[in-house]
Amino acid sequence: MAEKIQVVLSGGVLTVTISRPDKKNAITNDMYGVLADAVAKANEEAGIRALLIQADGDSFTAGNDVSEFAAQAKGDGPKERHVGRFLRALADATVPIIAAVQGKAVGVGATMLLHCDYVLLSEDAQLITPFVNLALVPEAASSYLLPLRIGHVRAFEMFALGLPVSAQAAVAWGIANRTVSAAELRTEARNIAEQIATRPSGSLIAMKRLMRDAEKLIALIDAESAVFAERLVSAEAKEAFAAFAEKRQPNFGNPRR
Ligand code: COA
């Protein structure tokens, strides 16, 4: 499983590459485990001065593996779930985090960016938060961070309609720093990470602590995750997971269908 997340340390930058391109980099529980370990390592080891998150293939990530959601809804989920550990580690991180995003960043692929400190998008990037399409609720403290970042009405539109937000809009709204061509994305992200890695790390850590209230974010992640767990076993969510597996539109019994 480890090969679906590659973790490489070089020049003080820990680079984490999500690599499951045949499934649009959908993230499984095992992959969350490796991601959580990598963020914790970056946070703990003094020699690591920046964390760079990137992904192989044409999409950053399609978010949580939907077949695993379906299994959890049936009570067949893993004994130990790693997603919470990953999200809490991100919220608690004091190491600077840089993200390089191409193609679609769906669900947690979009919400994890709210915990990153420098977000570089390729011109074709699209951020999508379609929790509602799976009858779920937002996670990763995004129910708080997204409206805070872009305003309530834009956040509501992203959450309630689940429509893609273009890279250009994401930059204009303050979710990302800037766009580059797909060809330049990795080199430019590495460049930024290396620049950050040359800065005094004690100062960066102290600055990040001042800029973010990790305790509050972790409390929000836990509160969202309790609601998420309730939604996961709802009849609506089960219908959404079945529809995804059967490659059809879900039928939520809406009067206007
Ligand atoms: N979980 C599990 N498998 C996924 C997945 C996910 N989140 N997203 C994509 N895949 C799989 C597809 O089932 C398909 O597998 P197959 O080739 O065995 O049939 C493969 O990845 C390619 O996906 P496809 O839908 O054909 O690619 P696309 O380019 O047409 O669309 C997405 C890409 C990401 C827009 C679309 O796959 C999608 O909407 N995925 C679900 C996203 C989602 O709801 N995530 C959870 C958010 S909370």
Side-chain angles (χ1 to χ4, degrees), residues 66 69-70 73 134 136 232 236-246:
V66 176
F69 274 157
L134 294 176
L136 299 171
L232 203 61
E236 287 176 344
K238 285 178 182 161
E239 164 58 10
F241 305 147
F244 183 80
E246 291 158 22

Side-chain angles (χ1 to χ4, degrees), residues 22-24 26 62 64-66 104 106-107 131 134 244 247:
D22 56 320
K23 295 288 181 186
K24 304 287 171 187
N64 201 105
D65 189 299
V66 176
K104 294 187 170 62
V106 187
F131 303 102
L134 294 176
F244 183 80
K247 297 188 187 290

Side-chain angles (χ1 to χ4, degrees), residues 27 32 35-36 39 64 81-93 97 107-109 111-113 115 131 138-142 212 214 217-218 220-222 224-225 228:
I27 305 176
Y32 277 122
L35 287 170
V39 179
N64 201 105
R81 292 191 62 222
H82 298 299
V83 59
R85 201 159 61 79
F86 169 59
L87 297 179
R88 278 187 222 102
L90 271 186
D92 202 28
I97 307 177
V108 72
T111 58
M112 75 166 81
L113 303 180
H115 296 274
F131 303 102
E139 34 64 311
S142 63
R212 307 173 76 256
L217 296 178
I218 289 170
L220 283 162
I221 287 169
D222 290 346
E224 287 171 343
S225 117
F228 198 98

Side-chain angles (χ1 to χ4, degrees), residues 161-192:
L161 297 180
L163 298 175
V165 167
S166 69
Q168 295 70 26
V171 171
W173 296 354
I175 302 176
N177 293 74
R178 61 193 169 92
T179 62
V180 291
S181 70
E184 290 169 312
L185 181 69
R186 284 220 173 159
T187 317
E188 202 40 40
R190 173 81 205 175
N191 199 2
I192 297 294

Side-chain angles (χ1 to χ4, degrees), residues 97-200:
I97 307 177
I98 298 97
V101 178
Q102 79 282 10
K104 294 187 170 62
V106 187
V108 72
T111 58
M112 75 166 81
L113 303 180
L114 301 168
H115 296 274
C116 296
D117 304 295
Y118 196 107
V119 178
L120 204 56
L121 302 179
S122 71
E123 283 148 3
D124 72 334
Q126 291 184 331
L127 309 189
I128 315 171
T129 50
F131 303 102
V132 74
N133 295 343
L134 294 176
L136 299 171
V137 289
E139 34 64 311
S142 63
S143 59
Y144 167 73
L145 287 174
L146 193 64
L148 185 71
R149 188 76 65 87
I150 69 175
H152 175 83
V153 293
R154 286 174 179 150
F156 186 85
E157 186 177 11
M158 281 185 75
F159 285 143
L161 297 180
L163 298 175
V165 167
S166 69
Q168 295 70 26
V171 171
W173 296 354
I175 302 176
N177 293 74
R178 61 193 169 92
T179 62
V180 291
S181 70
E184 290 169 312
L185 181 69
R186 284 220 173 159
T187 317
E188 202 40 40
R190 173 81 205 175
N191 199 2
I192 297 294
E194 282 178 359
Q195 280 186 51
I196 291 172
T198 63
R199 302 307 197 258

